[in-house]
Amino acid sequence: MMDFFNNVFSWLPELLAATPLTLILTLVAGIFGLVFGTLLALARLSNILILSVPANMFMFVMRGTPLLVQLYLIYYGLGQILPGTWVRHSVLWPYLRDGFTYAVIALSMNQAAYNGEVLRGALRSIPKGQIEASMAMGMTNLQILQRVRLPLAFRDCLPVLTSDIIILLKSTALVSTITVLELMGTARMIQRESLQIYEPLIACGLVYFAVVMVLTNIMRPVESRLTRFRKGNA
Amino acid sequence: MTATALSVRNIRKSFGEDEVLKGISFDAHSGDVISIIGSSGSGKSTLLRCINFLERADSGEVAVAGEIIKTHKAKDGQLSPSDKHQLKQMRARLGMVFQNFNLWAHRTVLENIIEGPVQVLKHPKKKAVADAEILMDKVGISQKRNHYPSQLSGGQQQRVAIARALAMQPTVMLFDEPTSALDPELVNEVVQVIRQLATEKRTMIMVTHEMALAREISTHLIFLHNGRIEEQGPPQLIMENPKSDRLRQFIGKF
Amino acid sequence: MVIHTYIEYMGWGAGGWGDEFFFGFLMTLKISLSAYALAVIFGFFATTAKLSKNIFLRFMAVSYTTVVRALPEILMVLIVYFTVAGLAETALVKAGFVDKGFQFNPFWAAVFALAFVAGAFMAEVLRAARLAVPEGQIESATAIGMSSLQIFMRVILPQMMRHAIPGMGNLWLSITKDSAIVAVLGAFSELLYTGYRAAAATKEYVFFYGVTAVLFLLITLISIAVIQWMERHLNRGYA
């Protein structure tokens, strides 16, 4: 039993060294996901069919299929197609041979679809009066979007967006399957090399648990600050 | 002398430091209509809920038609029913009508009424439906038999709730402020049903704010104040001649 | 690449992958359904424990849901899969039911692993649904003398299901998608592992992962239709 725990703890330094990559993946995909998600939500709510229909379909497909399938499709699929195109000779090529790039693409797209759905709901539930008040002041549509609709929508769905970040963090573990050595990938590598089945996984679990707890507790005050205008949330 | 339908002995109940019932006793004989009045916070509803053990008293005794509900003192100091089977039988004989109706939201009017007879009394469904039809007629809700509670007005819901309680053929009916959750224009339809039950000589205990109704239908009035029975007697007598200042003040408000 | 090559790819029998995908599709459904049923059981136990008065039970249930929900699904599945399979094998060998060298059926180990994860989320859904049943609904059942079991079966359960259906529907959708994780175990051919094998054998990655995605999407589409029907059915009687 002591041996077991000693083994578990012995893997912690190596796993902690891989944690920044997990956090970077979360951060990058989180930011891309939020930006694209906002655009998707707006596209879906627009009256222009050529925007709303593809946005709708994209969101449905991304939310309706496993992230793991999307990862494989992008990683292996683009790996099959790209070498035959101009990309092969461009400056981007070195990056595109790295699993990290595909991981970011897939995670961002997936996150964008989920964020988009949440934001769409929030944008739609903004009381008409808020927008009418802005129009009455002579604000342009863009101004209303920037100054009223988006800020209200973001604050409205902030709790969901933050919990989606936690889900994203957990999802990054899947990119270990396309050779990215983040936390999970490192744990599985250790597993193969040390021939220990449980210890690396348990150690990995400890690190994830700590990261999730820290992240949750960081986001809570941010959340309550941004929603302080709500009743009972002061 | 008529038989004692319900006998309540020395009920005490505290919520934390706050003693809301300080030893209440009364008897209801068959055919009695007892109204319990008093300002809010006087413990009226708690008393009613202690009778069928929805709320556990700290001490005291309840008997239905002479049969005492068996209890023992639980670890938390509350009076705990000792015989679950007996308690269920006793509850089945005490028809309860709630302030907020508490009709089962997932069942229709008819289903609400036959639920108890079928599930608790184990009546055949056919008989339960036939009985329910008579009751639905009585409270004037027959046309709504297949409606769900959410599709009914408050007054209609309360009439269904009364029919549901009657379907158990209870020895005593308990009414917990049956009209106070209703819009004023809906009070009357429920009052009429209750009035009719009184003329049929049903034994009823009613906690109420409707002073006019209490005065009209009660055979006995109990004025509760600070957890004690401050005054009691025939309604005309004690309402026209209140002995205590508190009852005088209380009546004066109406 | 011409169209008819793709048609050949999806052919039945030795030459094509059509039959493999068909059985992979069924396998994914089978895993998902089994794991879901088990997750409902886990969820009910965890909820009951969470709402119980016993401190020990509450502590166990809270630890279970907190830890499982904080860890990546793939990690939990790997841990539980290896643990369950390993422990079950040791136990069965020790008990003398099976010979040395016996291997626990990986299907049930995978199902158990998925259900263990989903059960923690299920517990949250069920707990919220249970707390959404108004106290008065239970009181009126108590008042006519129903037994605890009757109250649960006839009042609490039907009413809490109405609140639980949206959450349980979402959990079903995510369990069908999470079932793809067991492809990582490489132990049996559900949809993604089938896609993986087909793509690796033919180097047609886009096509076969595309087919895999479409089939998953099909499961989602059918599921959504069923869930919507159930929601309508259960919302009878509510304005």
Side-chain angles (χ1 to χ4, degrees):
Chain A
M1 206 59 189
M2 265 337 275
D3 275 359
F4 182 83
F5 285 113
N6 281 336
N7 285 336
V8 168
F9 290 125
S10 72
W11 300 123
L12 283 180
E14 209 171 327
L15 289 167
L16 284 172
T19 310
L21 188 55
T22 289
L23 292 175
I24 289 169
L25 275 167
T26 309
L27 187 69
V28 175
I31 292 171
F32 278 138
L34 195 58
V35 173
F36 290 129
T38 311
L39 296 177
L40 274 174
L42 292 172
R44 223 189 124 168
L45 288 173
S46 104
N47 295 322
I48 309 162
L49 282 184
I50 205 157
L51 289 177
S52 66
V53 172
N56 201 350
M57 278 182 53
F58 176 81
M59 280 158 72
F60 185 74
V61 171
M62 296 309 279
R63 296 183 342 115
T65 54
L67 175 56
L68 203 51
V69 174
Q70 293 160 19
L71 267 175
Y72 284 9
L73 190 56
I74 288 167
Y75 179 68
Y76 294 109
L78 286 182
Q80 176 194 353
I81 295 174
L82 288 182
T85 64
W86 59 271
V87 180
R88 175 77 180 82
H89 307 287
S90 73
V91 285
L92 291 174
W93 184 243
Y95 299 103
L96 288 174
R97 295 173 59 187
D98 187 3
F100 179 82
T101 314
Y102 298 100
V104 168
I105 296 174
L107 288 171
S108 304
M109 279 169 47
N110 192 272
Q111 187 72 358
Y114 280 93
N115 283 347
E117 180 70 21
V118 173
L119 280 166
R120 181 188 71 103
L123 280 167
R124 270 180 41 171
S125 64
I126 294 173
K128 266 219 173 68
Q130 299 278 324
I131 295 162
E132 281 172 0
S134 327
M135 292 201 295
M137 299 199 61
M139 286 173 125
T140 64
N141 280 341
L142 189 65
Q143 279 176 319
I144 295 176
L145 185 67
Q146 279 181 345
R147 314 280 322 159
V148 181
R149 289 175 65 201
L150 283 180
L152 278 175
F154 275 121
R155 282 163 202 216
D156 189 38
C157 60
L158 200 68
V160 187
L161 290 178
T162 49
S163 68
D164 275 357
I165 289 284
I166 301 287
I167 295 175
L168 172 63
L169 175 89
K170 296 197 293 163
S171 301
T172 59
L174 291 175
V175 309
S176 62
T177 58
I178 56 167
T179 72
V180 181
L181 287 178
E182 38 63 76
L183 245 178
M184 187 73 214
T186 307
R188 300 197 68 197
M189 189 188 69
I190 297 172
Q191 214 186 2
R192 278 193 300 275
E193 285 175 357
S194 67
L195 297 178
Q196 293 176 6
I197 297 178
Y198 303 107
E199 292 88 334
L201 294 181
I202 302 282
C204 178
L206 288 176
V207 178
Y208 270 115
F209 190 77
V211 172
V212 167
M213 287 300 136
V214 169
L215 216 56
T216 314
N217 283 308
I218 289 176
M219 284 187 306
R220 204 169 290 146
V222 175
E223 212 175 277
S224 61
R225 188 174 157 68
L226 283 175
T227 51
R228 66 189 182 281
F229 63 94
R230 281 195 203 137
K231 251 196 211 159
N233 229 334
Chain B
M1 187 72 203
T2 44
T4 309
L6 177 74
S7 165
V8 174
R9 282 287 161 268
N10 216 9
I11 296 279
R12 288 177 179 275
K13 172 71 183 170
S14 306
F15 292 111
E17 296 287 287
D18 190 17
E19 192 172 25
V20 289
L21 297 175
K22 298 169 181 162
I24 306 283
S25 304
F26 67 88
D27 287 327
H29 299 285
S30 187
D32 277 358
V33 177
I34 298 180
S35 290
I36 302 173
I37 58 171
S39 49
S40 40
S42 60
K44 323 183 284 292
S45 287
T46 308
L47 172 61
L48 205 65
R49 294 165 60 83
C50 282
I51 292 174
N52 66 355
F53 284 79
L54 282 181
E55 204 87 66
R56 297 203 173 156
D58 299 329
S59 63
E61 198 175 271
V62 177
V64 182
E67 186 178 345
I68 295 171
I69 300 181
K70 291 179 206 134
T71 56
H72 63 273
K73 202 84 164 163
K75 264 185 265 167
D76 55 4
Q78 290 178 340
L79 208 56
S80 209
S82 310
D83 183 348
K84 274 191 173 177
H85 183 68
Q86 186 212 23
L87 178 71
K88 273 177 236 155
Q89 280 185 329
M90 290 293 150
R91 278 176 169 159
R93 295 165 71 174
L94 296 166
M96 177 91 165
V97 175
F98 295 87
Q99 184 175 351
N100 295 309
F101 335 130
N102 291 348
L103 292 179
W104 295 302
H106 60 303
R107 302 201 191 280
T108 62
V109 167
L110 179 66
E111 287 167 348
N112 260 282
I113 297 174
I114 64 171
E115 180 77 4
V118 173
Q119 295 299 325
V120 179
L121 303 179
K122 309 288 177 200
H123 289 177
K125 199 172 168 195
K126 249 192 188 153
K127 172 175 160 48
V129 171
D131 292 346
E133 263 156 16
I134 296 167
L135 289 169
M136 286 189 291
D137 258 352
K138 185 186 192 100
V139 301
I141 204 80
S142 297
Q143 326 86 294
K144 305 275 182 190
R145 54 186 294 162
N146 292 322
H147 286 53
Y148 286 96
S150 66
Q151 299 163 322
L152 304 179
S153 74
Q156 290 168 330
Q157 289 192 53
Q158 194 60 298
R159 284 186 279 144
V160 176
I162 293 173
R164 177 175 69 173
L166 288 173
M168 298 295 287
Q169 296 163 335
T171 313
V172 181
M173 289 280 282
L174 308 174
F175 290 86
D176 186 7
E177 304 196 22
T179 56
S180 54
L182 298 176
D183 292 335
E185 73 270 20
L186 300 176
V187 168
N188 202 35
E189 56 187 81
V190 174
V191 165
Q192 268 176 6
V193 172
I194 297 174
R195 188 182 286 138
Q196 196 198 335
L197 295 178
T199 59
E200 292 169 7
K201 296 281 177 206
R202 279 188 187 271
T203 317
M204 309 201 279
I205 315 289
M206 177 166 66
V207 166
T208 187
H209 282 129
E210 293 286 316
M211 295 302 283
L213 178 69
R215 181 179 180 146
E216 176 196 334
I217 67 169
S218 307
T219 55
H220 194 85
L221 204 62
I222 292 178
F223 175 59
L224 222 56
H225 185 77
N226 277 342
R228 288 206 174 82
I229 296 182
E230 183 88 9
E231 210 163 318
Q232 59 179 321
Q236 274 78 3
L237 199 72
I238 75 163
M239 281 172 100
E240 274 156 28
N241 261 320
K243 290 195 187 73
S244 69
D245 293 341
R246 295 201 191 86
L247 180 55
R248 203 167 301 132
Q249 274 174 3
F250 182 74
I251 294 170
K253 282 188 226 155
F254 291 89
Chain C
M1 199 53 66
V2 276
I3 297 289
H4 91 251
T5 323
Y6 288 129
I7 294 175
E8 243 165 60
Y9 276 149
M10 291 311 287
W12 207 267
W17 291 87
D19 47 344
E20 276 87 348
F21 270 103
F22 177 75
F23 290 114
F25 185 82
L26 291 186
M27 181 57 109
T28 288
L29 282 181
K30 197 171 140 192
I31 295 173
S32 304
L33 279 171
S34 318
Y36 191 72
L38 199 55
V40 173
I41 297 173
F42 285 167
F44 260 106
F45 273 117
T47 311
T48 313
K50 264 195 171 183
L51 296 173
S52 92
K53 289 186 184 124
N54 187 316
I55 293 176
F56 176 73
L57 284 178
R58 268 208 318 264
F59 173 77
M60 293 296 288
V62 170
S63 314
Y64 165 56
T65 53
T66 312
V67 171
V68 169
R69 292 189 310 145
L71 299 185
E73 281 82 358
I74 185 171
L75 175 64
M76 278 312 299
V77 167
L78 287 176
I79 293 177
V80 178
Y81 180 80
F82 289 130
T83 314
V84 171
L87 290 181
E89 274 162 32
T90 324
L92 288 174
V93 170
K94 268 193 182 154
F97 288 127
V98 288
D99 295 329
K100 264 209 169 82
F102 162 84
Q103 279 218 315
F104 191 67
N105 182 346
F107 174 81
W108 287 108
V111 162
F112 186 88
L114 282 173
F116 191 78
V117 175
F121 292 88
M122 188 68 77
E124 293 304 300
V125 170
L126 293 176
R127 194 177 76 99
R130 170 64 186 79
L131 294 176
V133 178
E135 208 46 42
Q137 296 284 314
I138 298 158
E139 275 191 354
S140 54
T142 311
I144 63 165
M146 281 196 187
S147 67
S148 310
L149 185 67
Q150 278 177 321
I151 294 174
F152 182 76
M153 295 304 290
R154 303 199 54 87
V155 178
I156 296 176
L157 193 63
Q159 293 211 14
M160 71 182 267
M161 285 325 275
R162 187 178 79 90
H163 296 286
I165 280 287
M168 287 180 75
N170 283 338
L171 270 181
W172 163 253
L173 291 174
S174 55
I175 219 169
T176 57
K177 287 182 279 170
D178 282 346
S179 74
I181 288 174
V182 306
V184 174
L185 305 170
F188 41 93
S189 296
E190 44 68 69
L191 259 182
L192 181 54
Y193 194 61
T194 307
Y196 181 83
R197 285 194 302 137
T202 57
K203 306 286 173 222
E204 289 286 355
Y205 298 102
V206 178
F207 176 72
F208 279 115
Y209 285 127
V211 169
T212 309
V214 167
L215 289 174
F216 270 110
L217 207 55
L218 186 65
I219 296 181
T220 301
L221 275 168
I222 297 170
S223 305
I224 289 176
V226 173
I227 292 167
Q228 281 178 349
W229 176 82
M230 285 177 72
E231 267 177 45
R232 265 203 310 278
H233 183 73
L234 276 171
N235 270 328
R236 231 163 17 128
Y238 295 90

